[in-house]
Amino acid sequence: MSTPPRPTTRPTNGATAGPQTVNKNRTGGGFNPSVSLGFTKVTQQGGGTVGQQAGGPGAAGGGGKVPGSDFMSNEDIRAYCEHYRKKARNLATEMAMDADHLEAVLRTIPDPAGALGGSRARARRVTRWLKKASAAQKAQQKYFASLYGTFEREFESNLRSIKARQQQKPARTFGWR
């Protein structure tokens, strides 16, 4: 296999060789490493505004209150169900993977006589409970999705009347005279 020929001239950064002049002044200046970017995440919780610095405590989603646990609005109930549904999904996936890993490890352990003959059956008997816990988490996902669906179905007329009342407020007009 042949290699391509090497270039005979040095590479340039967009400048053409020869008598042309190159404008080195760029709009916006150069890169300044002392400049750092940051942002503030603002969330609405229970009617109050809470500012949270990125990377600060609680930024990873750990700690604090469960979203929507006040149950004061339709959005609170939806946030509550969605939070626990996602949590159950992640836990179910993790448990299923752990069960498979545990079963693979236990299969390699011989019995006291040194035979591996019954190790597969013993490993399955042990990991059966972890697989059942994973299946329970999967069922929990469905239950939280059903909880919100049933809430919307049962209270749909009430929610519509509340939204209709909120929309009936007349817009304020400015009377300058």
Side-chain angles (χ1 to χ4, degrees):
M1 176 176 226
S2 65
T3 59
R6 294 186 61 134
T8 56
T9 59
R10 283 186 61 139
T12 59
N13 291 332
T16 57
Q20 294 177 344
T21 60
V22 178
N23 185 3
K24 291 187 178 182
N25 294 329
R26 295 182 180 152
T27 307
F31 177 72
N32 186 355
S34 65
V35 174
S36 64
L37 299 175
F39 66 93
T40 302
K41 179 182 175 187
V42 178
T43 57
Q44 188 80 17
Q45 294 179 345
T49 304
V50 178
Q52 173 179 320
Q53 281 289 339
K65 231 171 68 166
V66 172
S69 60
D70 292 337
F71 302 120
M72 297 300 284
S73 69
N74 180 26
E75 289 79 21
D76 281 349
I77 296 170
R78 185 197 56 76
Y80 179 81
C81 293
E82 188 67 13
H83 172 76
Y84 278 115
R85 187 192 62 78
K86 285 181 179 179
K87 203 173 189 180
R89 180 189 62 205
N90 293 339
L91 197 54
T93 304
E94 199 173 308
M95 283 182 173
M97 289 173 41
D98 288 344
D100 291 340
H101 184 215
L102 179 62
E103 187 172 345
V105 169
L106 292 178
R107 281 180 174 187
T108 62
I109 300 174
D111 63 359
L116 285 172
S119 62
R120 286 164 109 186
R122 289 186 303 154
R124 276 196 307 270
R125 283 193 299 265
V126 170
T127 58
R128 175 179 65 191
W129 301 109
L130 190 53
K131 289 178 182 178
K132 284 188 176 201
S134 174
Q137 289 296 325
K138 286 180 184 177
Q140 193 175 12
Q141 293 176 58
K142 289 190 286 187
Y143 298 151
F144 277 109
S146 297
L147 169 67
Y148 184 67
T150 304
F151 164 73
E152 277 198 327
R153 185 180 67 238
E154 295 292 332
F155 290 92
E156 185 179 15
S157 61
N158 299 57
L159 293 173
R160 263 193 264 135
S161 66
I162 291 171
K163 288 179 184 176
R165 268 190 269 144
Q166 288 174 349
Q167 292 173 356
Q168 286 177 357
K169 293 180 183 175
R172 294 180 114 189
T173 56
F174 291 105
W176 297 104
R177 296 184 190 175

